[in-house]
């Protein structure tokens, strides 16, 4: 491949890639970091070429790396061979992936979403945990959902933790952002059911009517749905708790709701 070779952690490009662990840097540059050849190839197959591709010597001869490198070069990006120390610094892991890449963030416009293009969509209000968010994006992808709408002050779907949890689905699922006010206006035009979850709801999630396309609305990990969003739903449902635990992890609960709707 005749790549550029970098061995210093103080190299300007390496420092720029490391900085993408910070939300401020991601927001200013519009870039994010993805780790692992499988995820990077998933991105390439979906038309997302890396802006920067870093790889270790152990991965140099892998045919999928050749494919990623070609896509990077065609898009005008950089292909750089680095040592293990740099991979550890960039990933902040003692056992780093042998390939990491920088991509451009892509958000879908709320008004450009096409509800009828999928049987189910997901809206998350003020989700705080990037692992939860990433897992929900992955589940939405697996179930064939149209996309995920982030309502209000949510964690960053392009953080390293969230991207890891998506296992590549960040490149396959539409992500849109909306304020509460924007979402409520958008909800007025929704052609199917808008279904929320509440601990105080009386309708079992298995017996609710899910008119397609269904929009599943989930509140944040601590408080759940606020009253104004709960009131905007066609129906609020509960997932029965039969043991001592009185709640479920947000990503688990969202997965249950997605498959109930689909």
């Amino acid at each position: 491949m005749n790549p550029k070779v970098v061995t210093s952690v103080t190299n300007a490009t390496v420092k720029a890639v490391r900085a993408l662990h910070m939300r401020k840097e991601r927001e200013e540059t519009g870039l994010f970091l993805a780790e692992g050849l499988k995820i990077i190839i998933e991105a390439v197959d979906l038309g997302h070429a890396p802006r920067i591709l870093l790889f270790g010597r152990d991965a140099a001869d892998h045919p999928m790396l050749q494919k990623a490198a070609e896509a990077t070069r065609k898009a005008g990006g950089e292909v750089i061979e680095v040592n293990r120390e740099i991979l550890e610094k960039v990933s902040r892991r003692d056992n780093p992936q042998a390939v990491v890449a920088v991509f451009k963030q892509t958000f879908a416009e709320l008004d450009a979403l096409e509800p009828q293009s999928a049987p189910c969509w997901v809206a998350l209000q003020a989700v705080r945990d990037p692992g939860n968010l990433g897992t929900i994006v992955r589940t939405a992808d697996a179930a064939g959902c149209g996309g995920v709408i982030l309502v209000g002050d949510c964690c960053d779907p392009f953080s390293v933790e969230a991207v890891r949890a998506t296992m590549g689905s960040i490149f396959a699922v539409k992500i849109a952002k909306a304020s509460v006010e924007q979402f409520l206006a958008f909800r007025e035009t929704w052609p199917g059911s808008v279904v929320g979850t509440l601990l105080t709801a009386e309708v079992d999630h298995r017996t609710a009517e899910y008119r397609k396309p269904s929009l599943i609305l989930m509140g944040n990990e601590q408080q759940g749905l606020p009253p104004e969003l709960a009131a905007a739903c066609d129906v609020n449902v509960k997932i029965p708790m039969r043991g001592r635990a009185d709640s479920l992890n947000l990503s688990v609960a969202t997965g249950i709701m997605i498959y109930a709707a689909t």
Side-chain angles (χ1 to χ4, degrees):
M1 293 187 293
N2 298 317
K4 178 180 179 181
V5 178
V6 171
T7 58
S8 172
V9 295
T10 62
N11 172 270
T13 300
V14 172
K15 290 170 69 175
V17 174
R18 290 178 65 190
L20 293 175
H21 280 269
M22 297 183 291
R23 185 167 190 169
K24 180 175 182 290
E25 188 71 14
R26 293 193 300 273
E27 290 176 345
E28 289 180 353
T29 62
L31 302 174
F32 72 100
L33 187 65
E35 304 164 300
L37 190 53
K38 179 180 181 298
I39 290 177
I40 293 166
I41 289 300
E42 181 77 9
V44 170
D45 287 343
L46 290 169
H48 301 271
R51 297 295 184 88
I52 302 171
L53 182 69
L54 305 180
F55 70 94
R57 165 51 50 186
D58 292 347
D61 296 327
H62 198 293
M64 291 296 98
L65 178 66
Q66 309 284 339
K67 179 178 178 179
E70 182 180 359
T72 304
R73 287 201 178 94
K74 282 185 177 180
E78 292 185 86
V79 179
I80 305 173
E81 181 181 328
V82 297
N83 56 30
R84 184 180 178 86
E85 181 186 10
I86 290 175
L87 289 173
E88 289 176 352
K89 293 290 186 182
V90 166
S91 66
R92 296 186 180 178
R93 285 184 163 187
D94 292 334
N95 296 300
Q97 296 278 358
V99 187
V100 297
V102 173
F103 292 90
K104 181 181 178 181
Q105 298 179 24
T106 303
F107 283 101
E109 293 294 329
L110 188 66
D111 293 341
L113 299 181
E114 299 177 356
Q116 300 287 7
S117 66
C120 182
W121 296 70
V122 179
L124 304 172
Q125 181 264 333
V127 60
R128 293 284 186 258
D129 186 281
N132 280 340
L133 177 51
T135 301
I136 290 168
V137 170
R138 181 182 180 186
T139 304
D141 183 16
C145 292
V148 175
I149 303 168
L150 305 178
V151 182
D153 183 20
C154 293
C155 62
D156 184 3
F158 293 104
S159 70
V160 174
E161 296 83 0
V163 172
R164 282 173 182 162
T166 72
M167 294 294 289
S169 292
I170 191 68
F171 298 103
V173 175
K174 291 183 176 68
I175 308 290
K177 296 188 293 185
S179 66
V180 172
E181 293 74 22
Q182 288 171 330
F183 176 78
L184 290 173
F186 174 77
R187 180 264 174 275
E188 290 300 317
T189 66
W190 192 261
S193 294
V194 180
V195 183
T197 56
L198 283 179
L199 288 174
T200 57
E202 296 182 357
V203 179
D204 190 298
H205 77 288
R206 295 165 297 181
T207 62
E209 180 183 11
Y210 297 93
R211 287 181 292 106
K212 292 180 173 53
S214 299
L215 178 57
I216 304 302
L217 177 56
M218 305 293 291
N220 93 332
E221 292 92 339
Q222 283 75 42
Q223 283 80 37
L225 280 180
E228 61 182 325
L229 288 179
C233 295
D234 294 309
V235 61
N236 288 292
V237 302
K238 64 179 179 182
I239 301 172
M241 302 290 117
R242 297 195 178 93
R244 289 187 60 83
D246 61 2
S247 64
L248 292 171
N249 170 273
L250 177 63
S251 61
V252 173
T254 305
I256 290 171
M257 289 298 299
I258 287 171
Y259 278 95
T262 54

